[in-house]
Amino acid sequence: MEISIDEFKEQYFPALQSKFHQDTTDFIVKNMDQIKKSLRGQMDMFVNLVVRLQQELPVEIGMIQVALLNTSLYLGRPQIAYTAYNRDGYFGQELLTVKRDAGWLFEAWDDYKASIENKVAELHAENCIRSEAVRQLAWESFPFLQTCLYVTSKYIFRDIEQFPEFGNMILNPNFCMRIGAYMDWGKVVYVRRNEADIFFDVHKKDFSFYRFHKVVYSHKVFQYLDLSSTVFTECEFVYCKFENVILNDAWFRKCRIYYCTFENVKLLGLTLEQTTMKKTTFQNCTTSIDGTSLPPKDMDDIYRPIMTIDCTIDEESKIRGEA
């Protein structure tokens, strides 16, 4: 059958690719606990090695990158690289790289590649779509696999401060952690910030990744602020108003939130842990997106559902919003 690679990609390939993406997602969801345990163990090991290295060579770490190595698939051993860079970060010097197994991302890979080969054979198109073209088609799903790595690990590694040896690392003041591809696409999940006062500099609007500890906010108006991935620990909010604020991936840990209002606030990926919330209302807040494996084109990230862990929340304060 005479069929071009473009025709194959348009007519037959999307269904095969979609099945691979779904099979991979299903496997990750089914084995999520074990995968998370493995990733945490790998990071624990890596941080320990960094600390041992710095005992001999006390160089500041500017960034840790967690990357899916595309080239490792050529060698038949899919791997994740954990890399520590010097103070210049991504554009600096690699101080330490450790590679670990990423087979869980490729559980459905062989069947995926075989499904493409079988469809080509079914169409008798072997003369037009050769083995190299099949390989290139399969590799078009690598961005999806990079995204899977990011989504699976972002909520583990954003809490890197809680890893046992983290406090023993010598870090640059602007230290960050990035997950994605090696020297390519990636997303930052942790940034080390200096202390700040949200209401001291009225012109500052971006407080993403900041940490606030034991701060009392009374009758404060949080307005047009980016508080993405911000962590509030043992803070108190009384009669406060959040209006047109981004709280995506924010984390309220051991906080008290009383008589507050949230209006036109983005709450995607929000975590409430051991937090008490009473007499608080939510109006026109974004709490979820339509369930797809990849975000809509106008979204800049992928988020898990809102999580509440050992919280006390009265009926009036239950989060109700819109997708």
Side-chain angles (χ1 to χ4, degrees), residues 63-211:
M63 184 178 79
I64 289 177
Q65 176 181 254
V66 182
L68 178 61
L69 295 177
N70 299 14
T71 54
S72 68
L73 189 58
Y74 281 112
L75 305 177
R77 295 182 60 189
Q79 293 179 320
I80 297 169
Y82 294 79
T83 303
Y85 293 84
N86 68 357
R87 62 180 301 160
D88 295 323
Y90 193 70
F91 299 102
Q93 179 184 0
E94 293 185 16
L95 300 177
L96 177 67
T97 295
V98 175
K99 299 175 184 178
R100 286 295 180 263
D101 177 66
W104 57 274
L105 281 167
F106 292 85
E107 189 69 21
W109 182 263
D110 290 342
D111 288 343
Y112 175 41
K113 191 174 180 181
S115 71
I116 301 173
E117 294 170 340
N118 292 339
K119 179 57 69 173
V120 171
E122 178 186 321
L123 297 171
H124 304 290
E126 295 92 333
N127 291 333
C128 303
I129 305 175
R130 301 182 183 274
S131 59
E132 178 60 21
V134 170
R135 187 193 67 80
Q136 291 179 354
L137 286 170
W139 277 62
E140 288 191 12
S141 285
F142 246 86
F144 168 78
L145 296 174
Q146 293 161 357
T147 302
C148 287
L149 172 62
Y150 168 70
V151 173
T152 305
S153 57
K154 71 178 281 194
Y155 291 105
I156 303 171
F157 297 152
R158 74 166 185 173
D159 196 23
I160 191 172
E161 290 180 349
Q162 305 302 315
F163 280 63
E165 290 293 320
F166 178 81
N168 294 324
M169 285 197 296
I170 304 171
L171 303 177
N172 181 269
N174 297 315
F175 170 81
C176 68
M177 177 175 290
R178 179 181 180 275
I179 303 173
Y182 182 78
M183 301 298 286
D184 201 339
W185 176 89
K187 298 286 290 184
V188 173
V189 298
Y190 175 90
V191 179
R192 191 183 188 191
R193 301 288 199 193
N194 295 323
E195 292 185 2
D197 184 335
I198 292 177
F199 296 98
F200 178 76
D201 185 352
V202 295
H203 299 292
K204 183 176 176 64
K205 298 299 181 182
D206 185 358
F207 290 92
S208 57
F209 292 101
Y210 276 81
R211 265 67 175 160

Side-chain angles (χ1 to χ4, degrees), residues 27-28 32 84 159-160 233 258-259 268 281:
F27 177 83
I28 292 174
M32 183 64 76
D159 196 23
I160 191 172
T233 303
Y258 293 166
Y259 298 98
L268 300 173
T281 60

